[in-house]
Amino acid sequence: MLRAGRGMLDQPVPLYPDPAPIAERIPVRTIDDANHYTILLADGPAAEVAAALPRPA
């Protein structure tokens, strides 16, 4: 799971403030310089998301 480090409207608290319960089941990585929208729409965070996607064989 890729998690934005800030809330939907850039609040300092992200949507999932404590990723520990999720991290018990799946790996969680926080993209600190992103919010709910910029994680996919801003160049830096979107590049991190793209780099995390599996590559076809």
Side-chain angles (χ1 to χ4, degrees):
M1 175 179 160
L2 297 176
R3 165 184 176 267
R6 296 188 310 267
M8 185 183 314
L9 300 175
D10 244 6
Q11 300 96 322
V13 178
L15 180 61
Y16 298 103
D18 179 12
I22 298 167
E24 291 175 5
R25 292 178 288 255
I26 61 172
V28 175
R29 184 169 146 229
T30 300
I31 300 178
D32 290 318
D33 61 339
N35 68 27
H36 178 81
Y37 297 105
T38 61
I39 196 166
L40 294 178
L41 300 174
D43 290 339
E48 289 189 57
V49 171
L53 296 174
R55 302 286 181 238

